[in-house]
Each structure stands twice: as structure tokens, then as C-alpha cells.
Amino acid sequence: MSRQSNRTTDSKKMNSELFTLTYGALVTQLCKDYENDEEVNKQLDKMGYNIGVRLIEDFLARSSIGRCQDFRETADVIAKSAFKTYLGITPSVTNWSPAGDEFSLILENNPLVDFVELPDTHSTLIYSNLLCGVLRGALEMVQMAVDVRFVQDTLRGDNVTEIRMKFIKRIEENLPAGDE
Amino acid sequence: MADEAPFQFLHNEVIQYLFKSAENRETENGRNVTKLENMGFRVGQGLIERMTKDTVRFKDELDIMKFICKDFWTCVFKKQIDNLRTNHQGIYVLQDNKFRLLSQLSAGKQYLEHAPKYLAFTCGLVRGALSNLGVKSIVTSEVSIMPACKFQVMIQKM
């Protein structure tokens, strides 16, 4: 980085390392607080959910994307638009189930894990589990109940990072959305 | 380059998490601010390491503070510190008239009692950055009208 300050007017962009490092600090803190990977995973998912519930508003307001016609379109919007906007990556969408209600997101380089190495003592920790919560929370706000989980993670020795998403049901409009 | 929104949401969630866990134990409030501050410290250390790897050596303490006010602040909050004052005896006051983490909260005195929570992380950020530049310090914050705030940096002589 040069010493000259680059006073860009594009204030929406921010050094992504700040986000990565902050997330790392959070996971570290959670590991100290809980001492049990399962609990940490759960907490990360919960925090992600809270973020997703709010993030969807920001996303819809900025992207002028309307209601999705089917789950395939949803997958496209998530991969090409949402991930691009917020994390600067475009995961590929693969492994569709025959019924078209399940697919995988393959993350090439997950920005959350930029400087991360998992110690052996945390073999069951799903480091980026926040993302699952975010996706679940955001989709719930557009009337979609979806199951989201990591099935592969490069941090744990897999070749790729894969998030599996399974459509469960459409949430009826007149019912109040489930609260955490 | 990631978007700014994820950081802001994450920051809010971190605050929520730390303070919700202590709601029924009021005495722990101080400890939560410390936790938040320590998280900021680690992040500040990491950030400054990455930012300064190609810069020339700093001349003196003031030069370091200027770097924090200009480059570091721009990198993190996309603007410079509006005013830097010092008594030339190791106390610096950094004033930001439109602090990014407060600007969404209010423009006035509403929610003023919550402001310290939203500044603790940044205090740590500054302290961590300075610490990796070889300057030991204590950083505190002060808000009288949001979204303006002041950070006071007290340099500890080694």
C-alpha cells in the first residue's frame, strides 16, 4: 500500500482484510468462550442468521432484483450477485439434485479463511459456519426455508469448499416469520 | 475487495454477542468492553502489518500518528481523521466528525449511552496498530454528539 492516501469516493468498498481479520478474532473469542466446537458452530450459525435477516434488505435495496421464479434462479442470484457484492467472489453452482431442490456452491477462495490454519484440536470446528446462517436467514426473509451446511472445507483437508443448500418449503406469506 | 456492509453487520453482531451474554451479570460489562477491545487489538496488529510492509521507515512518533490518521483510517473507514491534536508530551486526540460505525445509529444525543460499545473495537484497533509500530499506548474514546467522536491516545513511555 502506498503512502499516498487514495481518497476514493466509492465509500462502499472496504479493505476486505479488515473483515477477514475481524471474523478471525470473533472465532478465536468464541473458541475461548465455549471450548466445544459444536457450540461454536451453533453460535456462528446463529450470528450469521441475525446478519442474513438484515443483509437481505441491503441486498434487495441495492440490486433491484425481484422475486425468484424457481430455486435455480435463486441459486444464480446467490452465486453471481450476492456473493459477488459482499465477498467479491463468484462460487460455481453444481450438483443439482434431479428434483431441482438441492444444489452445491463451490467456493474457490473463501475470503473468510485468508490467513487461517486450523489446529488439530479443532477438528470439528466449521470455521466459516457464519455463511450458512447468513444464507438461511436471508432466504427466510424472502419466504424460503432452506437447509444450508458445509459438506467440504479446504481448511479440513478437502479439495474444495462446498456448501450444500436444500430447499425445504415455501413459507406462507401470512404467517409470521420464525424468530430466533 | 469486499463490501463494507458485511463488516458493519459483523461488528454489530459481535457487540450483540458479547453484551447479551452478560445482560444478567452487570458487573461483567467492563470485561466485555475489554474483550471487544482485545479483539480490535489483534485485528489492528494484523492490519498494520499488511499495510506497512512496503512503506518507508517512520521518522518519529508524530509521523506514526499521521500515518494512523491518514492511511490507516482511510483503509479502514474510507475517510481521514478530521482533526489531530497533541500536547507534544505523548497525548494525541484524534477527532472524527462522522465516524462510520456511529453514523448509522443517530445524529444527536439519542442512544448516546450505547456509543461506547461501538467504539471499543476501534480503540483496540488503534492500540494494536500502534503496538506493532513499536508504540505502547492507552486509547480511550469520547462522544458528546453522534456521529462525531474523539479518540485519545496516551503514549506509554517504555
Side-chain angles (χ1 to χ4, degrees), chain A residues 3 13-15 33 62, chain B residues 3 17 71 75-76 78:
Chain A
R3 288 293 296 278
K13 298 285 172 203
M14 196 189 229
N15 196 327
D33 287 357
R62 280 163 56 182
Chain B
D3 190 81
Y17 161 70
D71 302 72
C75 169
V76 180
K78 287 293 160 220

Side-chain angles (χ1 to χ4, degrees), chain A residues 95-180:
Chain A
N95 293 342
W96 278 96
S97 65
D101 64 344
E102 224 178 303
F103 68 89
S104 290
L105 289 171
I106 308 288
L107 277 65
E108 289 283 326
N109 31 13
N110 179 0
L112 287 184
V113 303
D114 268 354
F115 316 112
V116 181
E117 227 175 86
L118 274 191
D120 296 336
T121 46
H122 286 290
S123 52
T124 50
L125 177 72
I126 308 169
Y127 185 85
S128 315
N129 210 29
L130 187 94
L131 288 181
C132 293
V134 173
L135 288 165
R136 190 166 56 86
L139 289 173
E140 197 169 304
M141 290 300 113
V142 288
Q143 278 86 41
M144 271 188 261
V146 180
D147 179 60
V148 190
R149 64 202 153 80
F150 274 90
V151 287
Q152 291 195 79
D153 193 344
T154 46
L155 273 186
R156 289 186 291 167
D158 297 317
N159 287 328
V160 287
T161 299
E162 177 180 353
I163 301 177
R164 192 75 180 152
M165 304 198 41
K166 184 180 179 3
F167 181 80
I168 301 170
K169 63 168 181 162
R170 180 158 286 277
I171 299 164
E172 293 302 322
E173 294 262 3
N174 47 3
L175 288 176
D179 240 350
E180 270 286 309

